Amino acid sequence: MPKEWATSGLDLFLQLVPASRRRQRAGIEEGLREAIRSGRLPRGSLLPPTRALAHDLGVSRGTVLEVYSQLAAEGWIVGRQGSSTVVAFNAEPLGATTSIRFSPPARMRFDLRPGRPDASSFPRMDWLRALRRAFASAPNEAFGYGSPQGLLVLRSELAGYLGRARGLSCGSDDLLVTAGFTQGLGLVARSLGDGRKTIVMEEPSMPLHRSIARAAGHQITSIPVDADGLRVDELEALSDVAMVVLTPHRQHPSGAILSAARRSRLLAWARDKQAIILEDDYDGEFRYDRRPIGSLQALDPNVVVYAGTASKTLAPGVRLGWLVLPRNVRDAVIHQKELADWHTGALEQLAFAEMLRTAAYDRHIRKMRVLYRRRRDSIIDALRQGITGVQVAGIDAGLNLLIPVADQQVERAAVVAAHTAGIGLDGLTTGGYYEGSGVAGILIGYGAAPQHSFRAAVEVLVAALRPVLDDASRSAARQ
Ligand SMILES: Cc1ncc(COP(=O)(O)O)c(C=O)c1O
């Protein structure tokens, strides 16, 4: 007969089978595993102190200590000496965890998740002004069903902006307005035609993007990234690749820039194999210590689909992006857009076109570049001052930085410590950025937190990470 157990202070219900002492320990272990596995004990929840649980279960404290230490070794729970034990944010047995994603903390006090802009800085007044002006002059037809490609007024403004600010070579006919990169990727993947094709993606890369390409019916091959970006030599060794998706301006999430030599090799490979390159320029507007990197599309508009988005420059909720399409794929991708949603909403398109026309978009980007640069400088200073010997990477551009750490164990401990302190951030291996085993690291975004809470967010972050990273460097020094 299963028996119900409860603790004072922290109640914990466990299904246990009474048995001998050894079996008793195994029973408690299995009861806890079951509670975590079933989600009854959610990730991040506090477990009772060993003394209290031993008292309530009527076993020795030693037995509970053994149980906790076994479950910690298996990756179900995380405990630190002198503080509480919690259910691990990635509560799965060790070894089976590399592609399982951590969820953000249940109550997020500070949002330091990567890849998000400051929503509180959204240019509301500019957007309103643009909408008002655009509405006053838009013809009635703008509010009817339109071209799947998007409104001509927006495509013309975008072509001008992309040529001027991003060095692209395109006209309004080459452009397709999308609901962000997420949709653009799906459209291009589906346009590859019937039959399972091979799409190459960077490793590490966003798990959602791999899922989108798979959902289009294709097979994904992941190729690693090093300090010079995608390993093009590994790509050359593959056969029958239909498309490669990459972030050459600033590899997401590692921060590497695709070197000039690899750019030429990649383009030569695509021409030779008649493959498509999908260039994801997701945050190229934000660079701080270097000139902008030229786009692959400008080097060869016949093999490169260029993808841009307003998700970092304005806000992800706007759901606006664009593709610059080579002639040979244009009709097929536009057809996929028509199948998906006919076309992107006219109101957003009109307002965005007006923002571009009046250069309000440029002004907003320039303002945000200064703000993000200050934030980047202050978070780096705080990390370096607060945590001895901390390494930070990927800092010359974008909205994230990366702290490489020794192994997955340290990464998990750091992510759990941050989540426990109410901070949202990602781990490289725990965040699902790798399909196979990967290099551990902590991915921190400095875009999303509103300006008024940014300092506090950084202070809490440093306080949460310090003990974990100090521990890790002490144990590295001992080895
Ligand atoms: C690598 C990468 N590409 C593209 C995007 C933008 O996607 P979307 O335009 O659909 O918001 C993101 C957003 O997080 C990203 O990290």
Coordinates of all heavy atoms in Angstrom, one line a residue, residues 259-350:
S259 N 34.7 34.5 -41.4 CA 35.9 35.1 -42.0 C 35.7 35.4 -43.5 O 35.0 34.7 -44.2 CB 37.1 34.3 -41.7 OG 37.1 33.1 -42.5
A260 N 36.5 36.3 -44.0 CA 36.5 36.7 -45.4 C 36.8 35.5 -46.3 O 36.1 35.2 -47.3 CB 37.5 37.8 -45.7
A261 N 37.8 34.7 -45.8 CA 38.2 33.5 -46.6 C 37.0 32.5 -46.7 O 36.7 32.0 -47.8 CB 39.4 32.8 -46.0
R262 N 36.3 32.3 -45.6 CA 35.2 31.4 -45.6 C 34.0 31.9 -46.4 O 33.3 31.1 -47.0 CB 34.8 31.0 -44.1 CG 35.9 30.2 -43.5 CD 35.3 29.4 -42.3 NE 36.4 28.8 -41.6 CZ 36.4 28.3 -40.4 NH1 35.2 28.4 -39.7 NH2 37.4 27.8 -39.8
R263 N 33.9 33.2 -46.4 CA 32.8 33.8 -47.2 C 32.9 33.4 -48.6 O 32.0 32.9 -49.3 CB 32.8 35.3 -47.1 CG 32.2 35.8 -45.8 CD 32.6 37.2 -45.6 NE 32.0 37.5 -44.4 CZ 30.8 38.2 -44.2 NH1 30.3 38.7 -45.3 NH2 30.2 38.3 -43.1
S264 N 34.2 33.6 -49.2 CA 34.4 33.3 -50.6 C 34.2 31.8 -50.8 O 33.6 31.4 -51.8 CB 35.8 33.7 -51.1 OG 36.3 34.7 -50.3
R265 N 34.7 31.0 -49.9 CA 34.6 29.6 -50.1 C 33.2 29.1 -50.1 O 32.8 28.3 -50.9 CB 35.4 28.8 -49.0 CG 36.7 28.2 -49.5 CD 37.4 27.7 -48.4 NE 37.3 26.2 -48.2 CZ 38.0 25.5 -47.4 NH1 39.0 26.0 -46.7 NH2 37.8 24.2 -47.4
L266 N 32.4 29.7 -49.2 CA 31.0 29.3 -49.1 C 30.2 29.7 -50.4 O 29.4 28.9 -50.9 CB 30.4 30.1 -47.9 CG 28.9 29.9 -47.6 CD1 28.6 28.5 -47.2 CD2 28.4 30.9 -46.6
L267 N 30.5 30.9 -50.9 CA 29.8 31.3 -52.1 C 30.2 30.4 -53.3 O 29.4 30.0 -54.1 CB 30.1 32.8 -52.4 CG 29.5 33.8 -51.4 CD1 30.1 35.2 -51.5 CD2 28.0 33.9 -51.6
A268 N 31.5 30.1 -53.3 CA 32.0 29.3 -54.4 C 31.3 27.9 -54.3 O 30.9 27.3 -55.4 CB 33.5 29.1 -54.4
W269 N 31.2 27.4 -53.1 CA 30.5 26.1 -52.9 C 29.1 26.1 -53.4 O 28.6 25.2 -54.1 CB 30.6 25.7 -51.4 CG 29.7 24.6 -51.0 CD1 30.0 23.3 -51.1 CD2 28.3 24.7 -50.5 NE1 28.9 22.5 -50.7 CE2 27.9 23.4 -50.3 CE3 27.5 25.8 -50.3 CZ2 26.6 23.1 -49.9 CZ3 26.2 25.5 -49.8 CH2 25.7 24.2 -49.6
A270 N 28.4 27.2 -53.0 CA 26.9 27.3 -53.4 C 26.8 27.4 -54.9 O 25.9 26.8 -55.4 CB 26.3 28.5 -52.7
R271 N 27.6 28.2 -55.5 CA 27.6 28.3 -57.0 C 27.8 26.9 -57.6 O 27.1 26.5 -58.5 CB 28.6 29.3 -57.5 CG 28.2 30.7 -57.3 CD 29.1 31.7 -58.1 NE 30.4 31.8 -57.4 CZ 30.7 32.7 -56.5 NH1 29.8 33.6 -56.2 NH2 31.9 32.7 -56.0
D272 N 28.8 26.2 -57.1 CA 29.2 24.9 -57.7 C 28.1 23.9 -57.5 O 27.7 23.1 -58.4 CB 30.5 24.5 -57.0 CG 31.0 23.2 -57.6 OD1 30.9 23.1 -58.8 OD2 31.4 22.3 -56.8
K273 N 27.4 23.9 -56.3 CA 26.4 22.9 -56.0 C 25.0 23.3 -56.3 O 24.1 22.6 -56.0 CB 26.5 22.5 -54.5 CG 27.8 22.1 -54.0 CD 28.2 20.7 -54.5 CE 29.5 20.2 -53.9 NZ 30.2 19.2 -54.7
Q274 N 24.9 24.5 -56.8 CA 23.5 25.1 -57.0 C 22.7 25.0 -55.8 O 21.5 24.6 -55.8 CB 22.9 24.4 -58.2 CG 23.7 24.6 -59.4 CD 23.0 24.0 -60.7 OE1 22.4 23.0 -60.6 NE2 23.3 24.6 -61.8
A275 N 23.3 25.3 -54.7 CA 22.6 25.3 -53.4 C 22.3 26.8 -53.0 O 22.8 27.7 -53.5 CB 23.5 24.7 -52.3
I276 N 21.4 26.9 -52.1 CA 21.0 28.3 -51.6 C 21.6 28.5 -50.2 O 21.7 27.6 -49.4 CB 19.4 28.3 -51.4 CG1 18.7 28.1 -52.7 CG2 19.0 29.7 -50.8 CD1 17.2 27.9 -52.4
I277 N 22.1 29.8 -50.1 CA 22.5 30.2 -48.7 C 21.5 31.1 -48.1 O 21.0 32.0 -48.8 CB 23.8 31.0 -48.9 CG1 25.0 30.1 -49.5 CG2 24.3 31.6 -47.5 CD1 26.2 30.9 -49.9
L278 N 21.0 30.8 -46.9 CA 20.1 31.7 -46.3 C 20.8 32.5 -45.2 O 21.3 31.9 -44.2 CB 18.9 30.9 -45.7 CG 17.9 31.7 -44.9 CD1 17.3 32.9 -45.6 CD2 16.7 30.8 -44.5
E279 N 21.0 33.8 -45.5 CA 21.8 34.6 -44.6 C 20.9 35.3 -43.6 O 20.1 36.2 -44.0 CB 22.5 35.7 -45.5 CG 23.2 36.8 -44.8 CD 23.9 37.8 -45.7 OE1 23.5 37.9 -46.9 OE2 24.9 38.4 -45.3
D280 N 21.0 34.9 -42.4 CA 20.1 35.5 -41.3 C 20.9 36.6 -40.6 O 21.8 36.5 -39.8 CB 19.9 34.3 -40.3 CG 19.1 34.8 -39.1 OD1 18.6 35.9 -39.1 OD2 18.9 34.0 -38.1
D281 N 20.4 37.8 -41.0 CA 21.1 39.1 -40.5 C 20.1 39.6 -39.4 O 19.5 40.6 -39.5 CB 21.2 40.1 -41.6 CG 22.0 41.3 -41.1 OD1 22.6 41.3 -40.1 OD2 21.9 42.3 -41.8
Y282 N 20.1 38.9 -38.2 CA 19.1 39.1 -37.2 C 19.4 40.3 -36.4 O 18.5 40.9 -35.8 CB 18.9 37.9 -36.4 CG 20.1 37.5 -35.6 CD1 20.3 37.8 -34.3 CD2 21.2 36.9 -36.3 CE1 21.4 37.5 -33.6 CE2 22.4 36.6 -35.6 CZ 22.5 36.9 -34.3 OH 23.6 36.7 -33.6
D283 N 20.7 40.7 -36.2 CA 20.9 41.9 -35.3 C 22.1 42.7 -35.8 O 22.8 43.3 -35.0 CB 21.1 41.5 -33.8 CG 22.4 40.7 -33.5 OD1 23.2 40.5 -34.4 OD2 22.6 40.4 -32.3
G284 N 22.4 42.6 -37.1 CA 23.5 43.3 -37.7 C 23.6 44.8 -37.5 O 24.6 45.4 -37.7
E285 N 22.4 45.4 -37.1 CA 22.4 46.8 -36.9 C 23.1 47.2 -35.7 O 23.6 48.4 -35.5 CB 20.9 47.3 -36.7 CG 20.0 47.1 -38.0 CD 19.5 45.7 -38.1 OE1 19.8 44.8 -37.2 OE2 18.7 45.4 -39.1
F286 N 23.3 46.3 -34.7 CA 23.9 46.6 -33.4 C 25.4 46.1 -33.4 O 25.6 45.0 -33.1 CB 23.1 46.1 -32.3 CG 21.7 46.7 -32.2 CD1 20.6 45.9 -32.4 CD2 21.5 48.1 -32.1 CE1 19.3 46.5 -32.4 CE2 20.3 48.6 -32.1 CZ 19.2 47.8 -32.3
R287 N 26.3 47.0 -33.8 CA 27.7 46.7 -33.6 C 28.3 47.9 -32.9 O 27.9 49.0 -33.1 CB 28.4 46.4 -34.9 CG 28.6 47.6 -35.8 CD 27.6 47.8 -36.9 NE 27.7 49.1 -37.4 CZ 26.7 49.7 -38.2 NH1 25.6 49.0 -38.5 NH2 26.8 50.9 -38.6
Y288 N 29.3 47.6 -32.1 CA 29.8 48.6 -31.2 C 31.3 49.0 -31.5 O 31.7 50.1 -31.4 CB 29.7 48.2 -29.7 CG 28.2 47.7 -29.5 CD1 28.0 46.4 -29.1 CD2 27.2 48.5 -29.7 CE1 26.7 45.9 -28.9 CE2 25.9 48.1 -29.5 CZ 25.7 46.8 -29.1 OH 24.4 46.3 -28.9
D289 N 32.1 48.0 -31.7 CA 33.6 48.3 -31.8 C 34.1 48.0 -33.2 O 35.3 47.8 -33.4 CB 34.3 47.4 -30.8 CG 33.8 47.4 -29.4 OD1 33.5 48.5 -29.0 OD2 33.6 46.4 -28.8
R290 N 33.2 47.8 -34.1 CA 33.7 47.5 -35.5 C 32.8 48.0 -36.5 O 31.6 48.3 -36.2 CB 33.9 46.0 -35.6 CG 32.6 45.2 -35.4 CD 32.8 43.8 -35.9 NE 31.9 42.8 -35.4 CZ 30.7 42.6 -35.9 NH1 30.3 43.3 -37.0 NH2 29.9 41.7 -35.4
R291 N 33.3 48.1 -37.8 CA 32.5 48.5 -38.9 C 31.5 47.4 -39.2 O 31.7 46.3 -38.9 CB 33.3 48.8 -40.1 CG 34.5 49.6 -39.9 CD 34.4 51.1 -40.3 NE 33.6 51.3 -41.5 CZ 32.6 52.2 -41.7 NH1 32.3 52.9 -40.7 NH2 32.0 52.3 -42.8
P292 N 30.3 47.8 -39.8 CA 29.4 46.7 -40.2 C 30.0 45.7 -41.1 O 30.9 46.1 -41.9 CB 28.2 47.4 -40.8 CG 28.7 48.8 -41.1 CD 29.8 49.1 -40.2
I293 N 29.6 44.4 -41.0 CA 30.2 43.4 -41.9 C 29.3 43.4 -43.1 O 28.1 43.4 -43.0 CB 30.0 42.0 -41.2 CG1 30.6 42.0 -39.8 CG2 30.6 40.9 -42.1 CD1 32.1 41.8 -39.7
G294 N 29.9 43.4 -44.3 CA 29.2 43.4 -45.5 C 28.4 42.1 -45.7 O 28.7 41.1 -45.1
S295 N 27.3 42.2 -46.4 CA 26.4 41.0 -46.5 C 26.9 40.0 -47.6 O 27.5 40.5 -48.6 CB 25.0 41.4 -46.8 OG 24.8 41.7 -48.1
L296 N 26.6 38.8 -47.4 CA 26.9 37.8 -48.4 C 26.1 38.0 -49.7 O 26.5 37.8 -50.8 CB 26.5 36.4 -47.9 CG 27.4 35.8 -46.8 CD1 26.8 34.5 -46.2 CD2 28.8 35.5 -47.3
Q297 N 24.9 38.5 -49.4 CA 24.0 38.8 -50.6 C 24.6 39.7 -51.6 O 24.4 39.5 -52.8 CB 22.6 39.3 -50.0 CG 21.5 39.4 -51.0 CD 21.5 40.7 -51.8 OE1 22.2 41.6 -51.6 NE2 20.6 40.7 -52.8
A298 N 25.3 40.8 -51.1 CA 25.9 41.7 -52.0 C 27.0 41.1 -52.8 O 27.3 41.5 -53.9 CB 26.4 42.9 -51.2
L299 N 27.6 40.1 -52.2 CA 28.7 39.4 -53.0 C 28.2 38.5 -54.1 O 28.8 38.3 -55.1 CB 29.6 38.6 -52.0 CG 30.3 39.4 -50.9 CD1 31.0 38.5 -49.9 CD2 31.3 40.4 -51.5
D300 N 27.0 37.9 -53.9 CA 26.4 37.1 -54.9 C 24.9 37.0 -54.7 O 24.4 36.0 -54.1 CB 27.0 35.7 -55.0 CG 26.7 35.0 -56.3 OD1 25.7 35.4 -56.9 OD2 27.4 34.1 -56.7
P301 N 24.2 37.9 -55.3 CA 22.7 37.9 -55.1 C 22.0 36.7 -55.8 O 20.8 36.5 -55.6 CB 22.2 39.2 -55.8 CG 23.5 40.0 -56.1 CD 24.6 39.1 -56.1
N302 N 22.7 36.0 -56.6 CA 22.1 34.8 -57.3 C 22.0 33.6 -56.4 O 21.2 32.7 -56.7 CB 22.9 34.5 -58.5 CG 22.8 35.6 -59.5 OD1 21.7 36.2 -59.7 ND2 23.9 35.9 -60.2
V303 N 22.8 33.5 -55.4 CA 22.8 32.3 -54.6 C 22.4 32.5 -53.1 O 22.2 31.6 -52.3 CB 24.1 31.5 -54.6 CG1 24.4 31.0 -55.9 CG2 25.3 32.4 -54.1
V304 N 22.3 33.8 -52.7 CA 22.0 34.1 -51.3 C 20.6 34.7 -51.2 O 20.2 35.6 -51.9 CB 23.0 35.2 -50.8 CG1 22.7 35.5 -49.3 CG2 24.4 34.7 -50.9
V305 N 19.8 34.1 -50.2 CA 18.6 34.7 -49.8 C 19.0 35.5 -48.5 O 19.5 34.9 -47.5 CB 17.5 33.6 -49.4 CG1 16.3 34.3 -48.8 CG2 17.1 32.8 -50.6
Y306 N 18.7 36.8 -48.5 CA 19.0 37.6 -47.3 C 17.8 37.7 -46.5 O 16.7 38.0 -47.0 CB 19.6 38.9 -47.8 CG 19.7 39.9 -46.7 CD1 20.9 40.1 -46.0 CD2 18.6 40.7 -46.2 CE1 21.1 41.0 -45.0 CE2 18.8 41.6 -45.2 CZ 20.0 41.8 -44.6 OH 20.1 42.7 -43.5
A307 N 17.9 37.5 -45.2 CA 16.8 37.7 -44.3 C 17.0 38.7 -43.2 O 18.1 38.7 -42.5 CB 16.4 36.3 -43.6
G308 N 16.2 39.7 -43.1 CA 16.3 40.7 -42.1 C 15.0 40.7 -41.2 O 14.0 40.1 -41.6
T309 N 15.0 41.4 -40.1 CA 13.9 41.4 -39.2 C 13.8 42.7 -38.4 O 14.9 43.3 -38.1 CB 14.0 40.2 -38.2 OG1 12.9 40.3 -37.3 CG2 15.3 40.2 -37.4
A310 N 12.6 43.1 -38.0 CA 12.5 44.2 -37.1 C 12.4 43.8 -35.7 O 12.1 44.6 -34.8 CB 11.2 45.0 -37.5
S311 N 12.6 42.5 -35.4 CA 12.4 42.0 -34.1 C 13.4 42.6 -33.1 O 13.1 42.7 -31.9 CB 12.5 40.5 -34.1 OG 11.4 40.0 -34.7
K312 N 14.7 42.9 -33.5 CA 15.6 43.4 -32.5 C 15.6 45.0 -32.6 O 15.9 45.6 -31.6 CB 17.1 42.9 -32.8 CG 17.2 41.5 -33.2 CD 17.0 40.6 -32.0 CE 16.8 39.2 -32.6 NZ 16.9 38.2 -31.6
T313 N 15.4 45.5 -33.8 CA 15.5 46.9 -34.0 C 14.2 47.6 -33.4 O 14.3 48.7 -32.8 CB 15.6 47.3 -35.5 OG1 14.6 46.6 -36.2 CG2 17.0 46.9 -36.0
L314 N 13.1 47.0 -33.6 CA 11.8 47.6 -33.0 C 11.3 46.7 -31.9 O 11.5 47.0 -30.7 CB 10.8 47.7 -34.1 CG 11.0 48.7 -35.2 CD1 10.0 48.7 -36.3 CD2 11.1 50.2 -34.6
A315 N 10.7 45.6 -32.2 CA 10.2 44.7 -31.2 C 9.8 43.4 -31.9 O 9.2 43.4 -33.0 CB 9.0 45.3 -30.4
P316 N 10.0 42.2 -31.2 CA 9.5 41.0 -31.8 C 8.0 40.9 -32.0 O 7.6 40.2 -33.0 CB 10.0 39.9 -30.8 CG 10.7 40.6 -29.7 CD 10.6 42.1 -29.9
G317 N 7.3 41.6 -31.1 CA 5.8 41.5 -31.2 C 5.3 42.1 -32.5 O 4.1 41.9 -32.8
V318 N 6.1 43.0 -33.2 CA 5.6 43.6 -34.4 C 5.5 42.6 -35.5 O 4.6 42.7 -36.4 CB 6.6 44.7 -34.8 CG1 6.2 45.3 -36.1 CG2 6.5 45.8 -33.8
R319 N 6.2 41.5 -35.4 CA 6.3 40.4 -36.4 C 6.4 41.0 -37.8 O 5.6 40.8 -38.7 CB 5.0 39.5 -36.4 CG 4.7 38.9 -35.1 CD 5.9 38.2 -34.4 NE 6.5 37.1 -35.0 CZ 7.8 37.0 -35.1 NH1 8.7 37.8 -34.5 NH2 8.4 35.9 -35.6
L320 N 7.6 41.6 -38.1 CA 7.9 42.1 -39.4 C 9.3 41.7 -39.8 O 10.2 41.8 -39.0 CB 7.8 43.6 -39.5 CG 6.6 44.3 -40.0 CD1 6.7 45.8 -40.0 CD2 6.2 43.8 -41.4
G321 N 9.4 41.1 -41.0 CA 10.7 40.7 -41.5 C 10.7 40.8 -43.0 O 9.7 41.2 -43.6
W322 N 11.8 40.5 -43.6 CA 11.9 40.6 -45.1 C 12.9 39.7 -45.6 O 13.9 39.3 -45.0 CB 12.2 42.1 -45.5 CG 13.3 42.7 -44.7 CD1 14.7 42.7 -45.0 CD2 13.2 43.4 -43.5 NE1 15.4 43.4 -44.0 CE2 14.5 43.8 -43.1 CE3 12.1 43.8 -42.7 CZ2 14.7 44.6 -41.9 CZ3 12.3 44.5 -41.5 CH2 13.6 44.9 -41.2
L323 N 12.6 39.2 -46.8 CA 13.6 38.3 -47.5 C 13.9 39.1 -48.8 O 13.1 39.6 -49.5 CB 12.9 37.0 -47.9 CG 12.5 36.1 -46.7 CD1 11.8 34.8 -47.3 CD2 13.8 35.6 -45.9
V324 N 15.2 39.0 -49.2 CA 15.7 39.4 -50.5 C 16.0 38.2 -51.3 O 16.8 37.4 -50.9 CB 16.9 40.3 -50.4 CG1 17.4 40.8 -51.8 CG2 16.6 41.5 -49.5
L325 N 15.2 38.0 -52.4 CA 15.2 36.7 -53.0 C 15.9 36.7 -54.4 O 15.7 37.5 -55.2 CB 13.8 36.2 -53.3 CG 12.9 36.1 -52.0 CD1 11.4 36.0 -52.3 CD2 13.3 34.8 -51.3
P326 N 16.8 35.7 -54.6 CA 17.4 35.5 -55.9 C 16.2 35.2 -56.9 O 15.2 34.6 -56.5 CB 18.3 34.3 -55.8 CG 18.5 34.1 -54.3 CD 17.3 34.7 -53.7
R327 N 16.5 35.5 -58.2 CA 15.4 35.3 -59.2 C 14.9 33.9 -59.3 O 13.7 33.6 -59.4 CB 16.0 35.7 -60.6 CG 15.4 37.1 -61.0 CD 16.3 37.9 -61.8 NE 16.5 39.2 -61.0 CZ 16.1 40.4 -61.5 NH1 15.6 40.5 -62.7 NH2 16.3 41.4 -60.8
N328 N 15.9 32.9 -59.2 CA 15.5 31.5 -59.4 C 14.6 30.9 -58.3 O 14.0 29.9 -58.5 CB 16.7 30.7 -59.7 CG 17.7 30.7 -58.5 OD1 17.7 31.7 -57.8 ND2 18.5 29.6 -58.3
V329 N 14.5 31.6 -57.2 CA 13.7 31.0 -56.1 C 12.5 31.9 -55.8 O 11.6 31.5 -55.0 CB 14.5 30.7 -54.8 CG1 15.7 29.8 -55.0 CG2 14.9 32.0 -54.1
R330 N 12.5 33.1 -56.4 CA 11.5 34.1 -56.0 C 10.1 33.7 -56.0 O 9.4 33.8 -55.0 CB 11.7 35.4 -56.8 CG 10.9 36.5 -56.3 CD 11.0 37.7 -57.2 NE 12.3 38.0 -57.6 CZ 12.7 38.8 -58.6 NH1 11.8 39.3 -59.4 NH2 14.0 39.1 -58.8
D331 N 9.7 33.2 -57.2 CA 8.2 32.8 -57.3 C 7.8 31.7 -56.4 O 6.7 31.8 -55.8 CB 7.9 32.4 -58.8 CG 8.0 33.6 -59.7 OD1 8.1 34.7 -59.2 OD2 8.1 33.4 -60.9
A332 N 8.7 30.8 -56.2 CA 8.4 29.6 -55.3 C 8.2 30.1 -53.9 O 7.3 29.7 -53.1 CB 9.5 28.6 -55.4
V333 N 9.1 31.0 -53.4 CA 9.0 31.5 -52.0 C 7.7 32.4 -51.8 O 7.0 32.3 -50.9 CB 10.3 32.2 -51.6 CG1 10.2 32.7 -50.1 CG2 11.5 31.3 -51.7
I334 N 7.5 33.2 -52.8 CA 6.3 34.1 -52.7 C 5.0 33.2 -52.7 O 4.1 33.5 -52.0 CB 6.3 35.1 -53.9 CG1 7.4 36.1 -53.8 CG2 5.0 35.9 -53.9 CD1 7.7 37.0 -55.0
H335 N 5.0 32.2 -53.5 CA 3.9 31.3 -53.5 C 3.7 30.7 -52.1 O 2.5 30.5 -51.6 CB 4.1 30.2 -54.6 CG 3.0 29.2 -54.6 ND1 1.7 29.6 -54.9 CD2 2.9 27.8 -54.5 CE1 0.9 28.5 -54.9 NE2 1.6 27.4 -54.6
Q336 N 4.8 30.3 -51.5 CA 4.7 29.8 -50.1 C 4.1 30.8 -49.1 O 3.3 30.4 -48.2 CB 6.0 29.3 -49.6 CG 6.5 28.0 -50.2 CD 5.5 26.8 -50.0 OE1 4.9 26.7 -49.0 NE2 5.4 26.0 -51.1
K337 N 4.4 32.0 -49.3 CA 3.9 33.1 -48.5 C 2.3 33.2 -48.7 O 1.6 33.3 -47.8 CB 4.5 34.4 -48.8 CG 3.9 35.7 -48.2 CD 4.1 35.7 -46.7 CE 3.6 37.0 -46.1 NZ 3.5 37.0 -44.6
E338 N 1.9 33.1 -50.0 CA 0.5 33.1 -50.3 C -0.2 32.0 -49.6 O -1.3 32.1 -49.0 CB 0.3 33.1 -51.8 CG -1.1 33.3 -52.2 CD -1.2 33.5 -53.7 OE1 -0.3 33.1 -54.4 OE2 -2.3 34.0 -54.2
L339 N 0.4 30.8 -49.6 CA -0.2 29.6 -49.0 C -0.2 29.8 -47.5 O -1.1 29.3 -46.8 CB 0.6 28.4 -49.3 CG 0.6 27.9 -50.8 CD1 1.4 26.6 -50.9 CD2 -0.8 27.7 -51.3
A340 N 0.8 30.5 -46.9 CA 0.8 30.6 -45.4 C -0.2 31.6 -44.9 O -1.0 31.2 -44.0 CB 2.2 31.1 -45.0
D341 N -0.3 32.8 -45.4 CA -1.2 33.8 -44.8 C -1.6 34.8 -45.8 O -2.0 35.9 -45.4 CB -0.6 34.4 -43.6 CG 0.7 35.1 -43.8 OD1 1.2 35.1 -45.0 OD2 1.3 35.7 -42.9
W342 N -1.5 34.6 -47.1 CA -1.8 35.5 -48.2 C -0.8 36.7 -48.2 O 0.0 36.9 -49.1 CB -3.2 36.0 -48.1 CG -3.7 36.6 -49.4 CD1 -3.0 37.3 -50.3 CD2 -5.1 36.5 -49.9 NE1 -3.8 37.6 -51.4 CE2 -5.1 37.2 -51.1 CE3 -6.3 35.9 -49.4 CZ2 -6.3 37.3 -51.9 CZ3 -7.4 36.1 -50.2 CH2 -7.4 36.7 -51.4
H343 N -0.8 37.5 -47.1 CA 0.2 38.5 -47.0 C 0.3 39.1 -45.6 O -0.7 38.8 -44.8 CB 0.0 39.7 -48.0 CG -1.3 40.4 -47.9 ND1 -1.5 41.3 -46.9 CD2 -2.4 40.3 -48.6 CE1 -2.7 41.8 -47.0 NE2 -3.3 41.2 -48.0
T344 N 1.3 39.8 -45.3 CA 1.5 40.4 -44.0 C 0.5 41.6 -43.8 O 0.2 42.2 -44.8 CB 3.0 40.8 -43.8 OG1 3.8 39.6 -43.8 CG2 3.2 41.6 -42.5
G345 N 0.1 41.8 -42.6 CA -0.9 42.9 -42.4 C -0.5 44.2 -42.9 O 0.6 44.6 -42.8
A346 N -1.5 44.9 -43.5 CA -1.2 46.2 -44.2 C -0.9 47.3 -43.2 O -0.1 48.1 -43.5 CB -2.4 46.6 -45.0
L347 N -1.5 47.2 -42.0 CA -1.3 48.4 -41.1 C 0.2 48.5 -40.6 O 0.8 49.5 -40.6 CB -2.2 48.2 -39.8 CG -3.6 48.0 -40.1 CD1 -4.4 48.1 -38.8 CD2 -4.2 48.9 -41.1
E348 N 0.8 47.3 -40.3 CA 2.2 47.3 -39.9 C 3.1 47.7 -41.1 O 4.0 48.4 -40.9 CB 2.6 45.9 -39.4 CG 2.0 45.3 -38.2 CD 0.6 44.7 -38.5 OE1 0.2 44.8 -39.6 OE2 0.0 44.2 -37.5
Q349 N 2.7 47.2 -42.2 CA 3.5 47.5 -43.4 C 3.5 49.0 -43.7 O 4.6 49.6 -44.0 CB 3.0 46.8 -44.6 CG 3.2 45.3 -44.6 CD 3.0 44.7 -46.0 OE1 3.7 45.0 -46.9 NE2 2.0 43.8 -46.1
L350 N 2.3 49.6 -43.6 CA 2.2 51.1 -43.9 C 3.0 51.9 -42.9 O 3.8 52.8 -43.2 CB 0.8 51.5 -43.8 CG -0.1 51.1 -45.0 CD1 -1.6 51.4 -44.8 CD2 0.4 51.8 -46.3

